[in-house]
């Protein structure tokens, strides 16, 4: 167990911004919300998945909607807490732990704000190891945790509770429609699960991964080293492309920010063009028409000098960026996961998923923890 402070918060904000693959909400606003609560004297503790009791009630909380809405309309910050209280009232039981639905962007930080307000611990893990645009695209749903009951809340604390729906895909359709009516953004609380189910389905140690990633980038900046290389050393990723943004097509459709980013190659990539399709998050990167990386692997844009994450709602003409490719977590590479988060799930019918080389950083941390546990005297 460890406690969040402002220094760690700054690092997690950078790490979660990179791991968000362009989405998950703007991490800057999430950071401001949590920082204010810390300065008010509230506490946030992070606990290992192994330390969550079997009979715990773990709830995933965060925000859903198009990332651009987070720029156009600032959240009040307690929408996920209102949704959590509505879900608890339906269940007749209080949550004991919170877990991020995704480690990307602001949705890595919103559970920490709820934890500070509700005095609950946050589990060191999440359901995606990145960010995805749709509710069924997390390991909780993929590996059998029921999606409902579920709750949504808007900025006025209007509440919607779904007592039962047949699956997470149905919840995605219903909740997305409600979110659009809520102005394009809502706080959520779902799914609710036992500690045993959490450990079976969670992608572990991704909060620690975001922390280590951010710390590596900040340290490289201070010491005048290459922050891109520092980020890759933590994530196990590689450079896909270096270029300048020459065009951005962005539109709001059915509650998602959809579009295309085009980059003109720089340095060793001069003379080539990269096209990235996104749906809230970056989905597929093609260099001169050839696929370089595709979901569920992570495609991340960062500033070429500072490795500051560049999200889909702020990417614009003229930015000089490096495109990173990071291997997906092991739990996203199984056949059952690829049916939900692979290229075909996003309409890329003829694209074959070929995993990027390397091991996801969170998986490496989990392996370290297992090795440490084996070395400890019984």
């Amino acid at each position: 167990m460890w406690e969040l402070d402002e220094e760690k918060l700054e690092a997690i904000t950078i790490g979660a911004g990179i791991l968000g693959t362009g989405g998950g909400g703007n991490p800057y606003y999430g950071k401001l919300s949590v920082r204010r609560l810390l300065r008010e004297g509230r506490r946030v503790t992070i606990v290992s998945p192994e330390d969550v009791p079997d009979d715990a009630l773990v709830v995933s909380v965060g925000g859903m909607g198009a990332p651009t809405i987070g720029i156009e309309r600032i959240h009040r910050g307690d929408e996920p807490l209102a949704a959590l209280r509505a879900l608890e009232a339906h269940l007749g039981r209080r949550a004991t732990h919170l877990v991020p639905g995704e480690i990307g962007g602001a949705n890595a930080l919103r559970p920490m704000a709820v934890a500070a307000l509700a005095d609950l611990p946050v589990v060191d893990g999440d359901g995606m190891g990145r960010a995805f645009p749709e509710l069924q695209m997390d390991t909780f749903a993929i590996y059998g945790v029921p999606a409902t009951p579920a709750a949504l809340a808007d900025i006025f604390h209007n509440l919607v509770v779904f007592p039962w729906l047949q699956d997470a895909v149905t919840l995605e359709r219903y909740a997305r429609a409600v979110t659009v009516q809520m102005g394009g953004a809502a706080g959520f609380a779902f799914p609710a699960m036992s500690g045993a189910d959490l450990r079976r389905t969670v992608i572990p140690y991704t909060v620690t991964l975001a922390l280590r990633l951010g710390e590596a980038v900040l340290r490289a900046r201070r010491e005048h080293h290459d922050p891109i290389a520092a980020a890759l050393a933590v994530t196990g990723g590689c450079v896909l492309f270096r270029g300048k943004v020459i065009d951005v097509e962005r539109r709001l459709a059915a509650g998602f920010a959809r579009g295309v980013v085009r980059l003109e190659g720089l340095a060793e990539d001069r003379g080539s063009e990269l096209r990235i399709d996104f749906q809230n998050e970056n989905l597929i990167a093609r260099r001169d028409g050839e696929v370089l990386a595709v979901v569920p692997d992570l495609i991340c844009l960062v500033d070429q000098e500072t490795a500051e994450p560049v999200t889909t709602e702020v990417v614009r003409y003229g930015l000089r960026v490096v495109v990173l490719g990071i291997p997906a977590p092991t739990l996203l590479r199984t056949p059952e996961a690829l049916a939900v988060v692979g290229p075909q799930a996003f309409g890329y019918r003829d694209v074959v998923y070929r995993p990027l080389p390397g091991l996801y950083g969170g998986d490496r941390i989990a392996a370290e923890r297992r090795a440490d546990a084996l070395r400890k005297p019984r």
Side-chain angles (χ1 to χ4, degrees), residues 75-131:
H75 302 174
R76 48 187 286 172
D78 63 351
E79 294 92 331
L81 176 62
L84 175 66
R85 294 305 186 216
L87 181 63
E88 290 173 330
H90 175 78
L91 292 170
R93 182 183 173 194
R94 284 296 181 103
T96 61
H97 298 73
L98 303 174
V99 64
E102 56 190 358
I103 197 58
N107 263 346
L109 301 170
R110 288 190 181 112
M112 298 179 187
V114 178
L117 291 167
D119 194 24
L120 291 172
V122 176
V123 177
D124 192 350
D126 78 300
M128 297 182 180
R130 44 163 296 157

Side-chain angles (χ1 to χ4, degrees), residues 236-286:
C238 62
V239 172
L240 297 176
F241 198 79
R242 298 176 187 269
K244 181 182 77 171
V245 177
I246 58 172
D247 187 50
V248 180
E249 172 200 330
R250 187 190 293 112
R251 65 193 186 280
L252 192 63
F256 298 105
R258 298 177 184 267
V260 176
V261 178
R262 290 173 48 229
L263 289 81
E264 176 184 78
L266 298 174
E268 62 267 30
D269 295 311
R270 190 175 301 277
S272 291
E273 183 177 301
L274 190 76
R275 172 190 167 119
I276 300 174
D277 298 358
F278 64 85
Q279 178 187 335
N280 290 5
E281 288 78 38
N282 301 317
L283 301 178
I284 185 168
R286 299 184 181 93

Side-chain angles (χ1 to χ4, degrees), residues 2-15 31 34-35 38-39 109 210-216 218-219 222:
W2 49 276
E3 189 165 328
L4 186 69
D5 57 28
E6 287 195 38
E7 186 176 342
K8 289 184 174 68
L9 174 63
E10 185 68 33
I12 290 172
T13 300
I14 294 172
K31 178 185 77 172
V34 178
R35 188 177 69 185
L38 292 177
R39 290 180 177 180
L109 301 170
L211 173 63
R212 289 188 183 181
L213 175 53
E215 287 177 336
L218 290 170
R219 184 166 53 250
R222 287 194 306 269

Side-chain angles (χ1 to χ4, degrees), residues 7 27 58 101 131 139 174 199 210 222 228 300:
E7 186 176 342
V58 187
T139 52
Y174 283 43
R199 287 194 301 279
R222 287 194 306 269
I228 305 294
C300 313

Side-chain angles (χ1 to χ4, degrees), residues 183-209:
F188 72 77
F190 56 78
M193 69 195 93
S194 68
D197 277 339
L198 168 87
R199 287 194 301 279
R200 180 176 60 83
T201 60
V202 74
I203 298 174
Y205 299 110
T206 52
V207 178
T208 295
L209 173 62

